[in-house]
């Protein structure tokens, strides 16, 4: 369509619409599809067709867990569906306090604070902790919410190539004496499924007296025998200063949190703008999140099953000839190459009953477009085997696999 104004805003709007339209016209557009029903944790109904779900972050299969649903329903009966506004004024409910205590205990921290999304948590926490005159140092593959928080903070923003510890040390040495430094990274990288070199990052932060913030969006419920995350996995308790996570992935709710020392959390409660100027989490979501942390500890079989499923999925895809990059977790990239190849793989997989989605540039570097497949504790081994056969068939058809 023609805009009356012809400026850069109009240009960008038109360019994006053209790109979407071009992909749609080739029948390669699979984003924003409506899921009509969840059928158990592992199957979904999309456009009237049942498919295996391989794009879920509900790693432990907790969406729809009866105890969690019940907790949400009870919270609605008790508190209704909304809050009275922001936490600082009338918005703090008993259920928020209970949730924050549960998170603090789960993360072995003195205290915790919650926000209304993980994205907002990174934005507000990074930009509250550092500002002009400070330094923030970030892995190049960190999540967009971390990048945005760093940019918004106004601190000097230094990046190091993914997991390159020599480069991280150089960045730390670059900071002049006496300046505050915050190092921030994902525990598990959201596009690649690999882990940060945590022991080395901790060592470097101590050596150079930098604060350490770790985003555990994809490691809670995934790493460690109890699923409490990266400190447990490496048996290095009490090493992270700012333990960030989301309530929207393994935890089947919405929201974000930070756990840490009492003083740090109290500071954030009085200084972070997303806490002070944005409404509290709804009671049902707070109750669901609290109960989910309890269920993780009560049902450790889910973590074992996730681990077995992950091994089966990664090994099976590799054996079929796919490049799954450096993943060690439930996020399994299936490298396709071009955006077009990733879109085509998606189409063939979905036509054959595997709900999986592509990640293309600029979310990942050009040429490294992929299916970003995930496996959860809700899958059964034979379902995973069938899904891998379908992905393999797509690989041959599209040419991602070659003789
Ligand atoms: C998903 C994600 C977030 C954002 O969490 P939301 O609760 O979805 O806003 C932050 N960091 C990482 C690494 C994520 O994968």
């Amino acid at each position: 369509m023609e805009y009356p104004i012809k400026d850069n805003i109009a240009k960008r709007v038109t360019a994006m619409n053209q790109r979407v339209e071009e992909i749609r016209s080739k029948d390669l557009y699979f984003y924003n599809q409506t899921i009509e029903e969840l059928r158990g944790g592992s199957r979904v109904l999309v456009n009237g067709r049942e498919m295996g779900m391989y794009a879920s972050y509900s790693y432990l299969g907790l969406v729809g867990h009866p105890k969690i649903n019940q907790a949400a329903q009870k919270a609605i009966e008790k508190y209704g569906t909304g809050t009275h506004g922001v936490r600082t004024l009338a918005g703090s409910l008993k259920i928020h306090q209970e949730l924050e205590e549960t998170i603090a205990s789960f993360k072995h921290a003195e205290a915790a604070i919650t926000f209304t999304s993980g994205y907002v948590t990174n934005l507000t926490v990074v930009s509250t902790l550092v500002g002009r005159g400070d330094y923030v140092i970030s892995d190049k593959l960190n999540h967009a919410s971390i990048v945005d928080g760093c940019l918004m903070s106004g601190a000097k923003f230094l990046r190091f190539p993914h997991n390159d510890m020599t480069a991280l040390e150089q960045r730390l040495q670059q900071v002049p004496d006496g300046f505050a430094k915050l190092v921030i990274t994902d525990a598990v990288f959201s596009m690649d499924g690999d882990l940060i070199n945590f022991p080395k990052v901790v060592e470097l932060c101590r050596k150079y007296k930098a604060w350490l913030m770790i985003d555990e969006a994809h490691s809670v419920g995934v790493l460690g025998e109890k699923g409490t995350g990266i400190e447990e996995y490496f048996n290095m308790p009490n090493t992270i200063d700012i333990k960030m996570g989301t309530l929207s992935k393994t935890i089947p709710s919405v929201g974000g949190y930070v756990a840490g020392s009492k003083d740090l959390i109290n500071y954030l409660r009085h200084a972070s703008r997303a806490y002070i100027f944005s409404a509290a989490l709804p009671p049902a979501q707070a109750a669901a999140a609290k109960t989910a942390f309890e269920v993780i500890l009560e049902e450790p079989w889910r973590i074992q099953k996730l681990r077995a499923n992950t091994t089966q999925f990664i090994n099976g895809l590799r054996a079929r000839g796919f490049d799954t990059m450096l993943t060690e977790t439930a996020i399994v990239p299936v490298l396709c190459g071009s955006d077009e190849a990733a879109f085509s793989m998606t189409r063939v997989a979905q036509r054959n009953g595997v709900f999986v989605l592509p990640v293309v540039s600029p979310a990942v570097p050009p040429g490294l477009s992929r299916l970003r497949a995930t496996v959860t504790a809700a899958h059964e081994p034979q379902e995973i085997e069938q899904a891998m056969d379908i992905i393999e068939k797509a690989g041959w058809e599209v040419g991602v696999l070659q003789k």
Side-chain angles (χ1 to χ4, degrees), residues 117-119 122 143 145 186 190 215 217-218 244 246-249 255:
S117 85
Y119 179 86
N122 277 332
H143 191 262
S145 56
D186 288 3
S190 58
D215 179 334
H218 300 281
M244 181 272 167
T246 167
L247 303 176
S248 70
K249 286 169 180 148

Side-chain angles (χ1 to χ4, degrees), residues 169-215:
E169 182 155 24
Q170 285 165 351
R171 302 292 178 275
L172 284 161
Q173 287 167 343
Q174 228 173 298
V175 179
D177 274 352
F179 285 83
K181 316 180 256 304
L182 172 67
V183 171
I184 174 162
T185 137
D186 288 3
V188 169
F189 287 85
S190 58
M191 297 294 155
D192 292 52
D194 60 335
L195 269 61
I196 187 72
N197 183 347
F198 184 66
K200 190 70 194 177
V201 169
V202 170
E203 183 197 314
L204 289 173
C205 284
R206 291 199 172 149
K207 183 170 170 192
Y208 292 93
K209 298 194 167 37
W211 291 70
L212 177 59
M213 175 165 172
I214 300 280
D215 179 334

Side-chain angles (χ1 to χ4, degrees), residues 104 109-113 125 128-129 211 241-242 258-272:
E110 285 176 4
I113 181 171
V125 170
T128 303
L129 291 177
W211 291 70
D241 301 304
I242 302 138
V258 162
S261 74
K262 248 162 112 173
D263 287 353
L264 174 84
I265 300 308
N266 197 35
Y267 169 64
L268 292 172
R269 237 182 255 294
H270 294 93
S272 62

